[in-house]
Amino acid sequence: MEDRMNILVTGGAGFIGGNFVHHMVKKYPEDTIINLDLLTYAGNLETLKPVEGKPNYKFVHGDIADRDFIMKLFEQERPDIVVNFAAESHVDRSITDPGVFVRTNVMGTQVLLDAAKEYGVKRFHQVSTDEVYGDLPLDRPDLFFREDTPIHTSSPYSSSKASADLFVLAYYRTFGVPVTISRCSNNYGPYHFPEKLIPLMISRALADEKLPVYGKGENVRDWLYVSDHCEAIDLIIHKGKIGEVYNVGGHNEKTNLEVVKTILAALDKPESLIEFVTDRPGHDLRYAIDPMKLESELGWKPQYTFETGIRQTIDWYLNNKEWWENIISGEYANYFERMYGKDLA
Ligand code: NAD
Ligand code: TDX
């Protein structure tokens, strides 16, 4: 690849995309990082404050599913690399309103692929998820998701992400678009929207509010600190093999109850704040990634354990209250009441 590159990052005003934009702007001063985001409820320009004004960064407001707009953008910017984070990302919202997940996650990805094909991008990277593999049983700790584990989705969210992955692979096989896909486990860290488990529990515990744990809290997630995910994507776009899927995860499996109790202990709050609530329909039991391919082929190694990452995350939420208090005081309060009912709100 050439030395100076135009890198189009979609969804860069969201949680992982925002962290990735910070990482790339700092690490590649010669490249131009173009952040395209629709600024849905999940997009927040406050997250980009640290990079605003940097000469190698620019923000573009727009929709990945808007074909005319995307074609014009590619004509103007001629991206060398596209990294597609833009998505509807919350499983619970996909249960109440699946349609927008098809529009953004499937149709939006397909529009981007058409543009990548038309304008000959050198790499199209799709940011996918371990949820495309479905779930693993709780009583088989020997089982892990590998890249050849069959797609077997549970929620409208994971189904939309799996559909997008299939389109990405089809554009490689049929049209020769140079693609890669990463499938990562649950992320956590700075700028995580407080509808997701970890930031929701931190923000509510700090306010001494009830913490809604679905079912018995026995479901297991494999947690990865967000900067380790960003490093993995950086490696894959520069060194990954075209047409390949790479799993990303750091062997940090925890039950939801363990996660919530860890947060309560760190904040010195009582476990009596925990409230077991009605389970999520179709709730996946366990996710667990085997990251061997990424480690052995590209030399990736996570820098954080759950213990070091959660401490750093809690400190970030304590030191950046303004970022999340602005979110929970706005329209999000209505979402919480709709989703969890008046008693918890
Ligand atoms: P997020 O919800 O925090 O951010 C999504 C961003 O996409 C927002 O800024 C939003 O405004 C933008 N967006 C939504 N629709 C758009 C559209 N039509 N056009 C342009 N921009 C649009 O999500 P996240 O948690 O940062 O996840 C980012 C990506 O990583 C997603 O593709 C998700 O599936 C994947 N992923 C997330 C996790 C996780 O734990 N959060 C794990 C694995 C993979
Ligand atoms: O209030 C809650 N109570 C609760 O018990 C919430 C919001 C969640 N949970 C449980 C459900 C899950 O078992 O916590 C676990 C984590 O939930 P989420 O934070 O909603 O994440 P998850 O459903 O696992 O999906 C996440 O990881 C994979 C991201 O949101 C996806 O975008 C990513 O693909």
Side-chain angles (χ1 to χ4, degrees):
M1 290 192 191
E2 292 160 25
D3 286 339
R4 284 163 192 263
M5 285 191 290
N6 286 341
I7 303 178
L8 177 66
V9 177
T10 71
F15 162 46
I16 310 174
N19 278 280
F20 185 72
V21 166
H22 290 184
H23 168 93
M24 297 296 282
V25 167
K26 190 162 172 210
K27 184 159 168 198
Y28 299 102
E30 300 299 318
D31 293 344
T32 301
I33 313 301
I34 306 150
N35 174 11
L36 163 67
D37 199 292
L38 184 58
L39 299 179
T40 66
Y41 80 92
N44 188 349
L45 287 179
E46 290 298 311
T47 300
L48 283 322
K49 278 264 152 40
V51 292
E52 259 173 28
K54 300 269 187 216
N56 64 333
Y57 170 74
K58 70 170 145 184
F59 177 75
V60 181
H61 183 215
D63 182 353
I64 60 164
D66 180 342
R67 181 170 293 272
D68 291 345
F69 163 77
I70 289 293
M71 289 297 172
K72 275 189 207 125
L73 182 73
F74 275 63
E75 175 71 35
Q76 262 164 27
E77 303 290 351
R78 302 286 173 153
D80 299 285
I81 299 180
V82 177
V83 185
N84 183 27
F85 289 91
E88 288 295 330
S89 70
H90 192 33
V91 173
D92 290 331
R93 289 183 191 253
S94 84
I95 294 168
T96 51
D97 182 15
V100 67
F101 286 71
V102 177
R103 184 182 182 279
T104 293
N105 300 1
V106 186
M107 295 165 75
T109 301
Q110 192 259 334
V111 167
L112 288 173
L113 284 164
D114 273 345
K117 170 172 162 265
E118 179 86 14
Y119 288 93
V121 303
K122 298 187 185 80
R123 180 65 65 89
F124 182 95
H125 183 75
Q126 177 70 1
V127 181
S128 185
T129 169
D130 60 357
E131 298 199 16
V132 302
Y133 300 120
D135 61 354
L136 296 164
L138 292 177
D139 59 355
R140 289 291 307 274
D142 55 314
L143 296 180
F144 295 91
F145 296 136
R146 293 158 39 109
E147 288 80 359
D148 58 4
T149 300
I151 300 266
H152 185 79
T153 58
S154 313
S155 70
Y157 164 72
S158 54
S159 303
S160 70
K161 293 295 290 183
S163 308
D165 282 13
L166 295 178
F167 273 96
V168 171
L169 294 171
Y171 270 61
Y172 167 63
R173 168 97 187 231
T174 307
F175 305 117
V177 175
V179 307
T180 38
I181 295 177
S182 50
R183 292 182 179 148
C184 191
S185 58
N186 285 57
N187 283 214
Y188 65 104
Y191 306 110
H192 202 183
F193 195 89
E195 67 185 348
K196 307 283 171 64
L197 181 74
I198 287 180
L200 181 74
M201 298 300 161
I202 296 173
S203 58
R204 290 184 67 84
L206 282 171
D208 297 307
E209 290 168 338
K210 291 281 183 196
L211 310 184
V213 172
Y214 297 158
K216 294 186 185 147
E218 287 171 339
N219 304 58
V220 170
R221 295 295 181 264
D222 184 359
W223 293 97
L224 188 72
Y225 192 68
V226 63
S227 62
D228 284 326
H229 186 190
C230 294
E231 287 284 353
I233 295 171
D234 180 0
L235 258 183
I236 296 168
I237 60 177
H238 289 101
K239 303 212 171 92
K241 214 171 132 217
I242 284 168
E244 293 290 315
V245 173
Y246 294 90
N247 281 352
V248 190
H251 288 299
N252 281 297
E253 287 180 56
K254 303 278 169 206
T255 67
N256 293 337
L257 208 47
E258 283 171 325
V259 170
V260 175
K261 286 184 177 176
T262 302
I263 293 169
L264 285 170
L267 294 175
D268 203 16
K269 297 286 182 182
E271 290 186 4
S272 55
L273 287 179
I274 294 173
E275 178 109 348
F276 292 99
V277 299
T278 311
D279 210 353
R280 170 186 283 174
H283 197 173
D284 280 336
L285 293 172
R286 169 176 170 248
Y287 303 145
I289 281 276
D290 177 350
M292 187 63 93
K293 178 174 172 180
L294 186 64
E295 291 183 355
S296 61
E297 285 186 18
L298 303 186
W300 177 82
K301 269 260 172 278
Q303 301 300 307
Y304 290 85
T305 60
F306 184 72
E307 287 63 36
T308 54
I310 195 72
R311 189 62 258 174
Q312 192 150 311
T313 304
I314 291 170
D315 287 346
W316 189 88
Y317 279 84
L318 287 170
N319 294 327
N320 292 274
K321 281 192 175 161
E322 213 183 306
W323 183 89
W324 54 269
E325 280 177 352
N326 276 341
I327 295 172
I328 56 178
S329 62
E331 157 60 18
Y332 174 71
N334 301 331
Y335 161 85
F336 191 86
E337 192 177 314
R338 272 199 313 278
M339 199 61 98
Y340 295 87
K342 275 206 165 39
D343 289 351
L344 278 182

